[in-house]
Amino acid sequence: MDTMVKQSLAVSIKKLSSCVTGVKEREVWARRRAKRGTGGVKSSPPRTGQTTVTHSYQTDLEKERKLREALNAQKHAERAAMRDHFRKKYQLSKSSKDTSHLSAAQGKVALPRQLAKLIGPETPAKDDGYSLLSAFQGLNFNMGMLGGKQTKSSTPMSVNGEACKTMWSVSVSPSMFQGIQGMCVSVRPAACVRIQRGMCVCPAGTVAGLGVEGVTPARGGPAERGGGRGLRRFEEIPHTGSSGWLNLVMFWREDRFKLLHKHMERTFNTLGPIYRERLGTQSTVNILLPSDISELFRSEGLHPRRMTLQPWATHRETRQHSKGVFLKNGAEWRADRLLLNREVMMAPAVRRFLPLLDEVARDFCRQLATRVEKEGGKEERGLSLTIDPSPDLFRFALEASCHVLYGERIGLFSTSPSQESQKFIFAVERMLATTPPLLYLPPRLLWRLGAPLWTQHATAWDIIFSHAEKRIQRGVQRLRSTQAAGGGSGGTEGEFTGILGQLMDKGQLSLELIRANITELMAGGVDTTAVPLQFALYELGRNPAVQEQVRVQVKAAWARAGGDAHKALQGAPLLKGLVKETLRLYPVGITVQRYPVRDIIIQNYHIPAGTCVQACLYPLGRSRDVFQDPERFDPGRWGTQESGEGPGGGGGFRSLAFGFGARQCVGRRIAENEMQLLLMHILLSFRLSVSSSEELSTKYTLILQPETPPRITFSTL
Ligand code: HEM
């Protein structure tokens, strides 16, 4: 494409260049004068063609004038955008002059790097939400070229943070670009031509955005590693077959969905670190190296997007429920997410809910100890009991979630746990298991047809919603009665009444949105923690030396903390490593997806903005290029020595089980603390062992889980 563009522009640029500057004409006449040896004798150019040249010269002067105006408009708009940003930030009144500059630019102002830097950081904050300034993250423009200096550029961005995808499709004469090497502005139609999404033709016939002189190559990718080969087209990315429907049929026939993680690992081994895959209507680019993943996340934009779980969205739409952060996108998502972050992710919130999680973890261990005492067999050193702990772990996760979200215990550790809670756990399991096959079918059609798969899925969601609804209604009643009594969110002064109580008390989210988000947190908070806990117990059981090492640290930290759970966790970094290591080998979600807002280059392939790119966590965690001895279970590897650059580079982009950046898992802090606390109390009370040291076989049902839940022996210490 770039060659075509260059070819089609080259002739007219040359012609124009001579017309505007007159250089060629002057040279021709000088040469003729020299030939004739006329020296001081003045001669006129021949009359033939003179009128044409004059006319062309005037036309080009006119074009130059227009271009100057375009540049001035861009300059004014840039400055106006910056002033407008600071006025908004400091809540000053608007300037009509700036507003008119901005409206002349139709609100789409490409800021040069220096100005963009002034008003926003280049990379998103890694943790804990983001600030107003990050509204300008990722702005990266190519105005440095104006001075003739070639700089790296990317697809221009507008001030609203979205990629400037819609370059004006006005046909522009190349003469417009005379003298402004590399310019690519989005202020005036004349300055930039849309050829294909995210690309724009620049003056000298180069194509910014296609990477010829544009997009930043992935750090550590072949281009930078010295391959020096030309950029390759998107279509050249190795793929698993071009027919999405044929692939889908194969997947179904061979039951590959269940082993999607293994399929990914095999495909990377065969095709290399990047490949494309089409399944039904979905098409993705799959990557695994941290350096490539970092490139992807750097282009995620202000409102990062994941692949939509359409069956979930269809359930909300057909039942007329609002969507929570999991299913929302854009500014709506961001507004809800910032409010949730305050109650779920920020340090003060964690301090509030940590004791609640600790209480449930201790109860779990007490109940287990009673069971070992009653049912366990005698051993040399005490009592031991071998069980499949998964049902207890699911109950633990639900009890912990309810305690944190609603501030209420639902009594799952009692001798007769309620039928309703058991039903909830089955419903979450059903909902997760029916999601993957529905992802590749049109859910609305299935809904209309009343297909059994859809009915099972929707019914599971209905049970999840009604479970949450009951608790929300109780919360509302509690709030009303305490408000009537002149109190706060339903508790006495200083009492934490759960995240629900906090959200209601603040009153910033409507009740409908609170319902939507709390239900999502409930649905997302049970299996996601119960399943990695099974893996962690199994790995501790089959690695007794590792188990002992962690226990020694935990015991010391617990003794020092004097019963303060927060202090104990801080004093035992191996617990954190244990959770990270478990999720490295068994990531709950096997991929994290993003749609880059600008064109990027990964492994020297051009990837247009808007492509669905997945970081494949399962193959990443087991890759020899990224981790030393990847098959070794070693929580200590996340300490100082290996937390930085691994063999595959990419720094922090090796531990991504919770996703990344502003869109990372909102339940992360709950999950991490919940898992660490339970493992801490288990290690303080029991020695764990397993009868086989075989690797666990796994299956994928939207989350990665053991094919068969492992049996663990709990022995008293
Ligand atoms: C080990 C446990 C967990 C893991 C590994 C995990 C993983 C993830 C991942 C990978 C994402 C997508 C992040 C991204 O796109 O960058 C995510 C999103 C999410 N998770 Fe979790 N999660 C866990 C536990 C939880 C818990 C306990 C809750 C609820 C209390 C929860 C609620 C959510 C929600 C609501 C989102 C959507 C956030 C958004 O789009 O803004 N997760 N999780």
Side-chain angles (χ1 to χ4, degrees):
M1 169 65 92
D2 55 333
T3 328
M4 239 169 68
V5 172
K6 277 179 188 166
Q7 276 170 357
S8 66
L9 296 184
V11 178
S12 35
I13 288 177
K14 269 187 208 155
K15 193 173 147 205
L16 169 72
S17 144
S18 65
C19 289
V20 173
T21 60
V23 173
K24 201 169 170 191
E25 295 290 327
R26 281 199 299 272
E27 277 173 5
V28 170
W29 289 112
R31 258 185 266 130
R32 285 189 184 174
R33 274 200 303 273
K35 239 187 194 171
R36 282 191 216 134
T38 46
V41 182
K42 282 188 182 172
S43 64
S44 314
R47 283 186 180 277
T48 326
Q50 188 178 19
T51 343
T52 327
V53 171
T54 316
H55 177 71
S56 162
Y57 183 65
Q58 277 170 349
T59 314
D60 290 315
L61 276 180
E62 180 61 10
K63 284 175 183 168
E64 269 200 306
R65 187 184 62 75
K66 282 190 180 154
L67 183 57
R68 254 197 324 274
E69 281 176 3
L71 285 172
N72 283 340
Q74 157 74 0
K75 214 162 60 190
H76 292 316
E78 280 166 16
R79 291 181 182 157
M82 189 177 68
R83 284 192 296 265
D84 193 52
H85 163 76
F86 285 111
R87 273 199 202 94
K88 273 190 198 134
K89 188 176 168 206
Y90 298 112
Q91 296 176 355
L92 304 172
S93 58
K94 280 193 162 198
S95 144
S96 57
K97 213 165 138 194
D98 285 348
T99 310
S100 82
H101 283 316
L102 283 169
S103 67
Q106 298 173 7
K108 290 189 174 177
V109 186
L111 294 179
R113 187 181 282 275
Q114 291 87 337
L115 288 192
K117 262 191 182 165
L118 269 179
I119 59 176
E122 279 203 313
T123 45
K126 201 168 172 223
D127 242 344
D128 291 351
Y130 43 90
S131 68
L132 222 180
L133 284 181
S134 70
F136 292 83
Q137 74 180 33
L139 291 171
N140 180 10
F141 306 103
N142 199 12
M143 297 302 284
M145 284 184 175
L146 278 173
K149 202 175 131 225
Q150 302 271 319
T151 56
K152 282 179 179 176
S153 76
S154 58
T155 304
M157 308 277 288
S158 60
V159 279
N160 64 14
E162 302 298 336
C164 174
K165 284 187 198 162
T166 323
M167 299 296 185
W168 284 266
S169 45
V170 181
S171 143
V172 181
S173 152
S175 61
M176 296 298 287
F177 300 116
Q178 177 63 33
I180 26 164
Q181 290 281 311
M183 187 187 81
C184 176
V185 277
S186 57
V187 172
R188 289 280 302 265
C192 186
V193 180
R194 178 176 185 181
I195 303 174
Q196 194 181 305
R197 185 178 50 179
M199 284 187 233
C200 67
V201 183
C202 296
T206 60
V207 182
L210 191 62
V212 177
E213 301 190 335
V215 192
T216 327
R219 263 186 270 143
E224 200 173 87
R225 283 202 296 265
R229 282 168 292 147
L231 178 70
R232 285 170 291 182
R233 289 177 303 121
F234 180 77
E235 292 72 24
E236 291 179 79
I237 299 174
H239 60 86
T240 56
S242 50
S243 165
W245 296 110
L246 204 65
N247 280 350
L248 191 60
V249 171
M250 296 273 280
F251 258 68
W252 263 320
R253 226 180 36 198
E254 294 168 18
D255 205 9
R256 273 195 234 164
F257 284 115
K258 221 175 89 183
L259 293 174
L260 191 58
H261 53 303
K262 295 280 182 193
H263 161 80
M264 285 174 173
E265 195 176 30
R266 253 195 326 270
T267 314
F268 279 119
N269 286 338
T270 318
L271 297 181
I274 181 167
Y275 70 89
R276 284 189 292 133
E277 183 142 80
R278 271 170 184 259
L279 276 180
T281 51
Q282 298 204 355
S283 179
T284 57
V285 170
N286 295 352
I287 56 174
L288 93 158
L289 291 180
S291 50
D292 295 341
I293 297 174
S294 86
E295 178 64 11
L296 171 66
F297 284 129
R298 271 191 287 151
S299 62
E300 67 175 11
L302 175 63
H303 301 125
R305 272 199 311 130
R306 273 193 305 275
M307 197 189 274
T308 303
L309 291 181
Q310 200 50 51
W312 298 18
T314 305
H315 172 265
R316 305 305 188 273
E317 287 153 15
T318 54
R319 300 291 200 262
Q320 272 144 34
H321 289 314
S322 290
K323 292 175 183 163
V325 285
F326 199 96
L327 293 169
K328 273 186 173 169
N329 282 312
E332 266 194 325
W333 161 79
R334 189 169 176 236
D336 288 10
R337 177 71 204 230
L338 286 175
L339 295 174
L340 281 185
N341 279 351
R342 258 182 251 161
E343 306 309 332
V344 188
M345 288 286 275
M346 301 299 185
V350 176
R351 296 297 294 242
R352 279 196 294 269
F353 63 66
L354 200 110
L356 277 64
L357 292 174
D358 189 47
E359 187 189 310
V360 183
R362 286 186 202 220
D363 283 355
F364 175 94
C365 284
R366 261 196 292 274
Q367 200 204 31
L368 186 58
T370 316
R371 201 167 154 199
V372 174
E373 220 169 85
K374 273 196 195 152
E375 301 168 29
K378 270 212 181 313
E379 262 194 351
E380 234 178 80
R381 285 193 262 173
L383 292 167
S384 78
L385 178 69
T386 303
I387 51 166
D388 159 16
S390 63
D392 299 301
L393 291 173
F394 280 105
R395 280 201 287 272
F396 160 74
L398 180 56
E399 185 79 29
S401 287
C402 286
H403 202 16
V404 166
L405 291 176
Y406 309 124
E408 83 175 56
R409 293 293 301 262
I410 57 169
L412 282 173
F413 297 144
S414 74
T415 42
S416 53
S418 79
Q419 284 279 311
E420 190 212 9
S421 302
Q422 209 56 51
K423 220 170 134 193
F424 176 87
I425 292 174
F426 288 142
V428 174
E429 206 179 298
R430 195 96 288 263
M431 177 277 285
L432 292 173
T434 48
T435 303
L438 283 171
L439 283 178
Y440 306 94
L441 297 165
R444 269 188 179 268
L445 183 66
L446 297 182
W447 167 59
R448 277 181 218 285
L449 295 175
L453 185 64
W454 169 257
T455 312
Q456 281 181 31
H457 183 74
T459 312
W461 267 121
D462 292 342
I463 296 171
I464 297 167
F465 264 83
S466 81
H467 187 272
E469 182 60 23
K470 272 191 196 147
R471 267 121 211 119
I472 291 168
Q473 285 308 329
R474 278 214 284 274
V476 173
Q477 274 162 14
R478 201 163 51 189
L479 178 69
R480 286 201 185 125
S481 55
T482 35
Q483 270 174 349
S489 63
T492 49
E493 189 75 34
E495 189 194 346
F496 176 61
T497 53
I499 288 159
L500 174 68
Q502 293 289 120
L503 289 170
M504 283 180 165
D505 204 23
K506 299 264 166 68
Q508 289 164 314
L509 269 183
S510 69
L511 195 59
E512 184 53 29
L513 287 180
I514 293 179
R515 181 180 292 119
N517 282 297
I518 289 283
T519 310
E520 275 184 7
L521 291 175
M522 275 302 295
V526 178
D527 294 45
T528 48
T529 49
V531 170
L533 281 168
Q534 291 178 48
F535 286 120
L537 294 179
Y538 183 77
E539 286 294 347
L540 286 171
R542 73 170 184 147
N543 292 284
V546 171
Q547 185 186 148
E548 204 41 45
Q549 190 193 7
V550 185
R551 181 178 292 108
V552 167
Q553 197 183 70
V554 162
K555 271 186 161 175
W558 183 244
R560 278 197 306 273
D564 179 335
H566 186 248
K567 257 196 199 158
L569 293 189
Q570 282 185 326
L574 276 177
L575 274 176
K576 200 172 179 179
L578 175 59
V579 169
K580 266 186 155 178
E581 187 68 346
T582 306
L583 292 171
R584 171 179 75 82
L585 289 169
Y586 312 100
V588 174
I590 57 171
T591 65
V592 179
Q593 321 87 42
R594 288 292 185 271
Y595 296 82
V597 295
R598 60 179 167 87
D599 289 21
I600 52 175
I601 294 178
I602 291 183
Q603 290 293 327
N604 213 25
Y605 290 104
H606 167 238
I607 297 179
T611 307
C612 181
V613 186
Q614 320 197 81
C616 299
L617 304 186
Y618 183 86
L620 159 73
R622 289 163 186 258
S623 165
R624 239 161 250 294
D625 292 334
V626 183
F627 293 98
Q628 274 165 22
D629 297 336
E631 57 293 326
R632 186 163 47 92
F633 184 76
D634 177 14
R637 77 166 76 232
W638 297 102
T640 43
Q641 82 278 19
E642 260 211 51
S643 54
E645 293 287 304
F653 293 90
R654 300 185 314 145
S655 173
L656 290 167
F658 290 100
F660 173 82
R663 189 114 213 197
Q664 67 179 288
C665 174
V666 75
R668 178 180 187 156
R669 302 287 178 239
I670 298 179
E672 284 171 339
N673 287 294
E674 184 182 317
M675 290 192 287
Q676 287 179 45
L677 285 167
L678 187 72
L679 291 168
M680 177 175 84
H681 288 297
I682 287 179
L683 286 170
L684 287 173
S685 309
F686 305 101
R687 179 167 295 103
L688 309 166
S689 52
V690 287
S691 59
S692 149
S693 60
E694 293 285 295
E695 176 149 347
L696 273 181
S697 47
T698 46
K699 63 176 180 191
Y700 170 74
T701 53
L702 200 66
I703 61 171
L704 187 71
Q705 40 182 321
E707 177 80 60
T708 318
R711 290 175 69 77
I712 314 280
T713 302
F714 292 85
S715 308
T716 50
L717 283 176

